[in-house]
Amino acid sequence: MKEFQIETAQNVAISQNAAPVLDRMLGYIIDSCVIFFYGFAAFLLLIALDLDMRDAWAIYLLVSLPAFLYYVLLETFWDGLTVGKYVLKTRVVKLDGSKPGFANYFVRWILRVVDVVLTSGALAVVIILIKGNGQRLGDIAAGTTVISEKRKININDTILKELPIDYKPKYPQVTLFSDSEMQTIKNVYDQALKKKQHNVINKLYERLIAVMKLEPIEQPIDFINTVIKDYNYYTQNT
């Protein structure tokens, strides 16, 4: 599972996990099965209705239209998901991490004919492996990618932090934050430390002091670490 980085509108770097090629292939197989069974069921229904051949053909084309538009319809109305993507926990997003629009989904659907249908998926696999950020030809043209939403959670991924028994908090203003906000702060902080992204730490530091309305004497790294500890202190002792 390759990791790539995106920049949000607030210039904060966030890492995303590109969906593994195997997951995308399995998702494609699941989606193909859904389309096949839908088409087969429509065919059996028309046989049961015993219609005139010309009428049956026209009705079959109409009934099978959702199968033809399967990917663009589901991704548009299901927030980047199809049945296969839902099962494999993958999703279509824009490169900046935001939700794609209909035009993005439509472009990647049109180009599916080139890199998936005509080449049996071989071209898509090659481009995905070369690009390394989950993009096939349709994604490159649409400005999208497919990410994995699977996460392995351990204690380091939570806001929990072990504190000394005699720990004394410095910033009661941390209670302004919710658990989800503090989790985001910790995630961004941990990743920035790991990758030595000092610009991200400084932006996070500036945002925190603006929200908390204070002027800390600590350096950005130490301050953010103290904020996380203080939040743990106040939430664990209430």
Side-chain angles (χ1 to χ4, degrees), residues 12 14 27 66 99 106-107 110-111 142-143 179 181 203 226 228 238:
V12 176
I14 297 176
K99 178 181 177 180
F106 183 78
V107 169
I110 286 292
L111 289 177
D179 283 352
E181 289 171 333
K203 288 182 183 298
T226 300
I228 297 170
T238 57

Side-chain angles (χ1 to χ4, degrees), residues 179-197:
D179 283 352
S180 60
E181 289 171 333
M182 187 54 61
Q183 184 67 66
T184 300
I185 291 169
K186 184 176 183 297
N187 289 344
V188 172
Y189 174 70
D190 288 344
Q191 287 191 12
L193 273 183
K194 181 179 179 182
K195 298 184 178 182
K196 298 180 179 179
Q197 297 171 321

Side-chain angles (χ1 to χ4, degrees), residues 128-143:
I128 289 171
L129 292 175
I130 292 174
K131 287 286 290 180
N133 62 353
Q135 287 186 300
R136 59 175 176 82
L137 184 62
D139 289 306
I140 296 172

Side-chain angles (χ1 to χ4, degrees), residues 80-236:
L81 294 176
T82 61
V83 175
K85 290 182 178 68
Y86 175 78
V87 172
L88 274 300
K89 298 187 184 303
T90 61
R91 185 187 300 272
V92 179
V93 297
K94 293 176 70 173
L95 279 178
D96 63 1
S98 62
K99 178 181 177 180
F102 174 76
N104 303 107
Y105 294 127
F106 183 78
V107 169
R108 72 189 308 274
W109 173 70
I110 286 292
L111 289 177
R112 175 178 293 277
V113 176
V114 178
D115 58 2
V116 177
V117 178
L118 295 181
T119 63
S120 299
L123 179 60
V125 171
V126 170
I127 295 176
I128 289 171
L129 292 175
I130 292 174
K131 287 286 290 180
N133 62 353
Q135 287 186 300
R136 59 175 176 82
L137 184 62
D139 289 306
I140 296 172
T144 59
T145 186
V146 178
I147 62 169
S148 174
E149 297 184 320
K150 297 176 182 176
R151 291 198 64 195
K152 294 181 179 180
I153 303 296
N154 56 48
I155 190 66
N156 293 324
D157 295 320
T158 70
I159 59 175
L160 295 177
K161 205 170 185 70
E162 189 173 344
L163 302 175
I165 298 176
D166 58 348
Y167 182 80
K168 291 184 177 12
K170 296 180 180 179
Y171 308 112
Q173 296 94 331
V174 294
T175 54
L176 292 169
F177 300 107
S178 65
D179 283 352
S180 60
E181 289 171 333
M182 187 54 61
Q183 184 67 66
T184 300
I185 291 169
K186 184 176 183 297
N187 289 344
V188 172
Y189 174 70
D190 288 344
Q191 287 191 12
L193 273 183
K194 181 179 179 182
K195 298 184 178 182
K196 298 180 179 179
Q197 297 171 321
H198 300 294
N199 62 320
V200 175
I201 290 176
N202 287 333
K203 288 182 183 298
L204 182 58
Y205 168 78
E206 291 169 3
R207 181 59 181 160
L208 288 176
I209 62 176
V211 172
M212 296 168 67
K213 297 179 180 178
L214 50 77
E215 289 294 335
I217 60 173
E218 296 174 286
Q219 293 299 310
I221 290 178
D222 296 328
F223 170 71
I224 299 171
N225 187 45
T226 300
V227 165
I228 297 170
K229 286 182 178 179
D230 284 2
Y231 186 85
N232 273 265
Y233 174 87
Y234 285 112
T235 54
Q236 292 175 27

Side-chain angles (χ1 to χ4, degrees), residues 36-51 60 63:
F36 172 80
F37 284 117
Y38 176 88
F40 185 67
F43 179 73
L44 292 179
L45 176 62
L46 291 178
I47 291 178
L49 293 175
D50 193 25
L51 300 172
Y60 180 75
V63 173

